[in-house]
Amino acid sequence: MTPTLDNVYEMDRHDPLAGFKARFALPEGMIYLDGNSLGAQPVVARDALAATLDQWRDELIKGWNQGWFDAPERLGDLMAPLIGAQAGEVIINDNISLNIFKLLGYIADSQERSRPVILSEGGNFPTDGYIAQGLCRLAGFEHRVLPEGAALSDYVDEQVAAVVLSQVNYRTGRQRDMAAITAEVHKQGAEVIWDLAHSAGAIPVDLNGCGVRYAVGCTYKYLNGGPGAPAFIYVHRDHQDGGWQPLSGWHGHAAPFAFDGDYVPAQGITRFRSGTHSALIYAPLEASMRLWQEVDMNALRQKSLAMGDLFRNCLADLIKAEGIEDITPPHAERGSQVALIHPEHGYAIVQALIARGVIGDYREPGLMRFGFTPLYLSYEDVWQAARHFREVVEHREYLEPRFQVRSEVT
């Protein structure tokens, strides 16, 4: 039976996370289903940024000794419990691309280059493979690709130094079995770098419990750090002092203000810093991270799955009638998004929804992605979004010429 408004009102009344929505600055009349690309702005972000601007104005360079310099480690410790890590195992710094490069180079250095192959996965977000290719060209490694859907065991052998994998696929939303895969890769003597871009803040993550040694992720999606917010890098404490990371900038030096001519890596997670960071971009992220300390991740997970089910149940008959392909994984393998494919009109459907104030996103070829962010979405929002989707498709609104025009960023 298709859910009714009365059904969703009842769901909202019993939602333990309902109070968080008021803590986000959402535009009036907008239903935002694109938090898997860029999270919404926490209300506290503006004041946090303003306070840092005031600090810069009033304190000038003294601000570096007033919380700016140690922000990467401080925010890393706030991040740690959200991804199943311990204090001192996470640092907020740079972006995912640079952090993957650091870890690949660090692993190669730790292994004394005894394994000449880097393996990345086909169908993954492209930057992970691009960075692997770049490091291989620079360092003389061989880059291999794990075809999408292929068995990992067929591709990891004694030649492979490291594998770069996403826990949740950015297109399909499919979640990998982190514990089993990590154990399988380690058994072969290789290392695995987990990309948590679509899992941190979306699903419960347990890096320590899964035996993970290396991971990266971003903070501007589900964690609401703001556009271009810095990424994070995780290294298990037992593997932090095994070698150099290749972006050996001065902030990763054991004594950065000694200004020695030779590089000596800092102890612990700090060696994965590189150069000077911006205090301004850390301010709203820290405000968001402190909000996240209040979140029950199990409740968030339950609501995420329920919202995805609600959206799909509202559209089940339409999807079937219109020949739209639903590639959303089952609960046990799902991240926090619904993935629908309309090969011919997917882009235009998303544009027509945006014109109605329902913000999803589009990825080639034909993929419509809808991210479900439990902290600032209600069940009524999801029901209304499905209603708009139905009307856009049934009334063929997406055929209007204005919805065929491609923007540079999709």
Side-chain angles (χ1 to χ4, degrees):
M1 186 192 322
T2 303
T4 67
L5 263 179
D6 286 339
N7 296 145
V8 298
Y9 290 156
E10 188 66 17
M11 295 170 76
D12 281 329
R13 277 194 290 270
H14 292 91
D15 176 13
L17 300 176
F20 282 98
K21 185 174 183 179
R23 299 171 70 174
F24 288 85
L26 293 163
E28 187 70 28
M30 178 183 291
I31 301 173
Y32 193 63
L33 304 183
D34 206 9
N36 51 324
S37 284
L38 175 65
Q41 183 185 111
V43 172
V44 292
R46 182 179 294 272
D47 287 344
L49 180 56
T52 304
L53 285 168
D54 290 347
Q55 185 183 20
W56 171 27
R57 179 195 64 205
D58 298 336
E59 303 297 333
L60 293 168
I61 200 167
K62 291 185 291 182
W64 285 108
N65 285 316
Q66 298 171 353
W68 296 356
F69 189 77
D70 64 358
E73 289 85 359
R74 184 175 69 251
L75 270 66
D77 286 347
L78 289 174
M79 170 70 70
L82 298 178
I83 55 174
Q86 301 299 310
E89 292 185 328
V90 183
I91 196 166
I92 306 285
N93 198 28
D94 295 321
N95 56 43
I96 283 182
S97 299
L98 293 177
N99 287 339
I100 290 175
F101 188 88
K102 292 177 194 178
L103 287 181
L104 286 174
Y106 177 78
I107 290 167
D109 189 57
S110 302
Q111 295 175 340
E112 299 181 348
R113 298 177 178 265
S114 59
R115 289 170 169 255
V117 173
I118 303 296
L119 181 65
S120 64
E121 59 174 320
N124 192 9
F125 194 79
T127 198
D128 295 24
Y130 297 164
I131 291 296
Q133 293 170 32
L135 182 126
C136 288
R137 285 175 61 89
L138 181 68
F141 281 77
E142 177 186 351
H143 177 244
R144 296 178 187 171
V145 176
L146 169 70
E148 188 170 10
L152 184 64
S153 59
D154 293 337
Y155 287 81
V156 179
D157 56 26
E158 69 279 357
Q159 297 290 300
V160 174
V163 186
V164 184
L165 298 173
S166 285
Q167 185 185 15
V168 174
N169 184 279
Y170 84 104
R171 285 181 53 82
T172 65
R174 186 171 299 279
Q175 181 183 167
R176 291 182 180 273
D177 186 335
M178 177 182 280
I181 291 173
T182 299
E184 179 182 350
V185 173
H186 289 171
K187 185 177 179 180
Q188 296 298 323
E191 299 291 352
V192 57
I193 300 169
W194 286 101
D195 182 340
L196 309 181
H198 287 84
S199 47
I203 62 174
V205 179
D206 187 7
L207 295 179
N208 283 179
C210 291
V212 175
R213 297 169 183 165
Y214 305 102
V216 299
C218 63
T219 63
Y220 56 81
K221 298 181 190 294
Y222 292 98
L223 293 169
N224 313 299
F232 63 86
I233 186 168
Y234 156 88
V235 180
H236 188 278
R237 64 178 63 257
D238 293 343
H239 297 270
Q240 290 177 357
D241 299 314
W244 279 28
Q245 60 94 350
L247 298 181
S248 46
W250 73 300
H251 278 208
H253 193 281
F257 289 92
F259 301 109
D260 291 337
D262 294 320
Y263 183 78
V264 178
Q267 294 296 303
I269 196 67
T270 296
R271 74 174 54 201
F272 294 94
R273 290 175 65 155
S274 49
T276 306
H277 57 271
S278 168
L280 296 178
I281 65 172
Y282 278 71
L285 173 59
E286 182 163 5
S288 181
M289 293 305 302
R290 294 195 181 282
L291 181 156
W292 272 93
Q293 306 308 298
E294 304 173 34
V295 177
D296 180 333
M297 290 302 296
N298 290 320
L300 180 132
R301 175 61 170 165
Q302 292 171 14
K303 183 177 177 182
S304 164
L305 293 173
M307 289 192 300
D309 289 345
L310 173 63
F311 189 73
R312 295 168 72 218
N313 290 340
C314 286
L315 296 174
D317 62 322
L318 179 76
I319 288 171
K320 183 177 180 180
E322 295 290 335
I324 296 171
E325 184 181 3
D326 185 352
I327 61 170
T328 307
H331 280 194
E333 301 174 10
R334 187 185 306 173
S336 194
Q337 72 182 50
V338 166
L340 306 175
I341 294 177
H342 193 301
E344 184 178 0
H345 297 298
Y347 177 82
I349 291 171
V350 170
Q351 297 309 302
L353 285 169
I354 291 172
R356 283 171 165 252
V358 179
I359 315 298
D361 78 1
Y362 175 80
R363 294 290 180 263
E364 294 287 0
L367 178 66
M368 300 174 284
R369 297 192 312 170
F370 302 99
F372 293 96
T373 45
L375 295 192
Y376 53 81
L377 281 177
S378 67
Y379 290 105
E380 182 184 358
D381 290 333
V382 174
W383 189 92
Q384 296 289 1
R387 176 181 63 81
H388 283 291
F389 188 104
R390 178 179 294 277
E391 291 176 3
V392 161
V393 173
E394 288 183 340
H395 300 162
R396 300 296 188 262
E397 287 181 21
Y398 59 84
L399 294 178
E400 294 181 26
R402 60 182 173 139
F403 300 137
Q404 316 305 314
V405 179
R406 297 289 180 122
S407 301
E408 182 177 358
V409 178
T410 61

